[in-house]
Amino acid sequence: MVNYDKDIKAAVEVMRRGGVILYPTDTVWGIGCDATNAEAVARVYAIKHREDSKALICLVDSDARLQRYVRNVPNVAWDMIELATKPLTLILDGAVNLAPNLVAEDGSVAIRVTHEPFSQQLCYRFQKAIVSTSANISGEPPASNYCDLSPELIEAVDYVCTSRRQEKKPHTPSAIVRLRPDGEVEVIRK
């Protein structure tokens, strides 16, 4: 088994070349790629058999990195991130510096600051936002653990992380909250 640092290094190298990875996140296992690379994002949609009109989530490692991808982060977003008791994905308007096919038609992006050690370190070392959509074919249940990944997904990507493969515990997708420019808050998924 590859150690943690080598695993992250290998995943980062694959994403820098435009590749797609499977990796453990702060929620379920994810399909990931460079969130600024439109060709890599298109591959993720194809691997999932998902329409590109359905937006994908991306992960960042810090508040500072979040600000690189959203023009004006509303103050309430910072409070929500700080007070969240489980992983929280925010849909924010004014997406910038991301692949066009990752940004929703209305100019918003679904983005989450991860605090889980592996995915946070992966984002930190990559130095960019990483796509983080659930590791499943569209319509099927997400893979909570490595053992839940379908052979089709494993064969479709360029690298499968080795970290946390032995884990067998329940994981759930993040909560999703839409913050509108007028201050309206809409809970999409609890």
Side-chain angles (χ1 to χ4, degrees):
M1 184 151 142
V2 178
N3 77 30
Y4 184 87
D5 287 334
K6 285 183 181 175
D7 194 21
I8 288 174
K9 184 178 181 192
V12 165
E13 286 173 4
V14 166
M15 289 189 293
R16 284 195 178 129
R17 292 192 311 263
V20 176
I21 66 169
L22 285 171
Y23 68 110
T25 75
D26 53 341
T27 60
V28 296
W29 270 68
I31 302 174
C33 69
D34 178 348
T36 68
N37 181 325
E39 288 179 22
V41 171
R43 267 194 68 209
V44 171
Y45 281 114
I47 288 168
K48 281 186 71 81
H49 304 287
R50 184 174 180 163
E51 298 172 32
D52 63 9
S53 61
K54 292 185 176 182
L56 302 173
I57 292 170
C58 57
L59 281 186
V60 292
D61 64 317
S62 65
D63 294 352
R65 189 125 24 235
L66 171 65
Q67 293 180 82
R68 289 187 190 174
Y69 301 107
V70 177
R71 192 169 283 115
N72 292 305
V73 179
N75 287 334
V76 69
W78 302 121
D79 295 336
M80 293 176 81
I81 291 167
E82 186 179 327
L83 298 171
T85 57
K86 69 179 261 185
L88 173 66
T89 299
L90 295 175
I91 300 174
L92 301 170
D93 288 309
V96 292
N97 305 318
L98 291 165
N101 52 347
L102 187 62
V103 177
E105 287 181 14
D106 64 3
S108 66
V109 63
I111 195 163
R112 181 169 74 248
V113 178
T114 180
H115 300 289
E116 181 273 327
F118 183 84
S119 56
Q120 186 178 46
Q121 192 61 218
L122 183 65
C123 291
Y124 174 75
R125 295 223 199 135
F126 190 56
Q127 294 288 297
K128 291 185 193 178
I130 298 173
V131 166
S132 183
T133 184
S134 57
N136 61 312
I137 302 301
S138 200
E140 294 180 4
S144 288
N145 298 289
Y146 173 79
C147 62
D148 302 320
L149 292 170
S150 75
E152 180 182 349
L153 285 182
I154 291 170
E155 295 202 7
V157 302
D158 304 301
Y159 183 74
V160 181
C161 290
T162 59
S163 298
R164 292 180 42 202
R165 282 193 183 186
Q166 306 310 315
E167 195 172 270
K168 287 188 174 94
K169 61 184 187 177
H171 293 280
T172 55
S174 69
I176 301 177
V177 174
R178 165 87 179 170
L179 296 181
R180 302 210 181 265
D182 62 5
E184 180 187 339
V185 176
E186 178 187 1
V187 177
I188 308 290
R189 182 171 68 200
K190 290 182 179 182

